[in-house]
Amino acid sequence: MSKTLLKAGVTAACLLGATTASAQDAFDIDNMTDTQRAAFGEAVRDYLLENPQTIMDAVSKLEEMEAQQQIVADQSLVETHREALLDDGYSWVGGNPDGDFTIVEFMDYRCGYCRKAAPEVTELVENDGNIRLIVKEFPILGEASLESSKFAIATQIVAGDEAYGQVHDALIALEGNPSESALTRLADTFGLDGEAILAEMNSDEVKRRISETRALAQAMQISGTPSFVFGDEMVRGYAPLPAMEQIVAQARASE
């Protein structure tokens, strides 16, 4: 039995017990004898077997309550860490820097869902025209992820934001491992100084940015990629384009 179903069963049993208790003033659910407790358990079991929809109703209600609690908790996390999310001084900003709506994405270049989301995020930003996109380098899937992020950050330091944007898009689509030769070829593709970028990859500044972003993700209880912040709302995981469009529209309408 799943944890959700088990919790729902307990919830349904408690609700049934409370209803029974209120109907019988002489019945004290907290001070039952062993005989009463056994009879009560048997009655609850029989009721649930005869009315299985009660369990499904409890599951639905429990999931709804937990989802709402998560939304409230996430909104609090966003508010607490708003400055680090929106203005850490180094994360790349794309889209419309003066847009009326901001999306923050924690991503990993080797993450399959990040790769799936990339063209849809680009389409969302380009079609809207008034979204600011902030990218958080969050390499969590091994050495290849880390090397890719180090190269992207080093590119930004050495060659600037435009070059970072080009390299970012290329890395998200890169097949195979980001070896030194592969990264050098990638730099050559955009006319960048590959040698200087490779030398910067292990600098203290690159390490600091990755470390600070990891600390921010931990503080916000983010453990997977992609993870997004749409305005004040967190979306943990991949969301298709229509869902993202709806989130943005609803957030704007509520302002």
Side-chain angles (χ1 to χ4, degrees), residues 39-219:
F40 172 72
E42 188 65 25
V44 169
R45 177 181 179 278
D46 289 345
Y47 177 85
L48 294 178
L49 288 174
E50 293 172 5
N51 301 273
Q53 185 59 40
T54 301
I55 289 288
M56 302 313 299
D57 291 344
V59 168
S60 178
K61 183 62 176 178
L62 182 62
E63 290 177 342
E64 179 183 332
M65 292 170 57
E66 290 179 340
Q68 186 58 43
Q69 290 170 354
Q70 185 66 62
I71 289 172
V72 172
D74 284 346
Q75 288 174 339
S76 178
L77 287 172
V78 171
E79 181 60 32
T80 298
H81 301 285
R82 187 174 299 278
E83 183 176 355
L85 284 167
L86 303 183
D87 190 22
D88 61 15
Y90 55 82
S91 289
W92 181 80
V93 179
N96 182 350
D98 300 316
D100 70 345
F101 192 83
T102 299
I103 298 174
V104 181
E105 180 185 7
F106 288 77
M107 55 77 60
D108 183 313
Y109 292 106
R110 311 302 288 180
C111 163
Y113 281 106
C114 293
R115 294 184 171 212
K116 183 177 181 179
E120 294 178 277
V121 171
T122 298
E123 185 174 349
L124 172 69
V125 172
E126 290 181 349
N127 288 349
D128 185 282
N130 209 21
I131 291 176
R132 178 171 62 146
L133 174 66
I134 299 176
V135 175
K136 299 288 188 183
E137 297 277 347
F138 187 41
I140 57 174
L141 297 177
E143 190 64 24
S145 296
L146 180 59
E147 289 301 297
S148 296
S149 279
K150 286 164 60 177
F151 185 80
I153 295 170
T155 297
Q156 184 184 27
I157 294 171
V158 171
D161 286 344
E162 182 178 352
Y164 171 93
Q166 295 172 325
V167 166
H168 171 85
D169 291 345
L171 285 171
I172 204 72
L174 181 68
E175 299 294 338
N177 289 322
S179 62
E180 183 173 318
S181 59
L183 295 176
T184 298
R185 288 195 300 271
L186 193 155
D188 291 342
T189 299
F190 299 110
L192 303 174
D193 187 342
E195 186 175 336
I197 294 171
L198 291 172
E200 180 66 26
M201 285 176 63
N202 293 310
S203 69
D204 289 342
E205 178 62 16
V206 170
K207 293 175 183 177
R208 179 186 74 84
R209 295 185 185 189
I210 292 175
S211 177
E212 288 189 5
T213 299
R214 283 176 170 167
L216 174 61
Q218 183 176 15

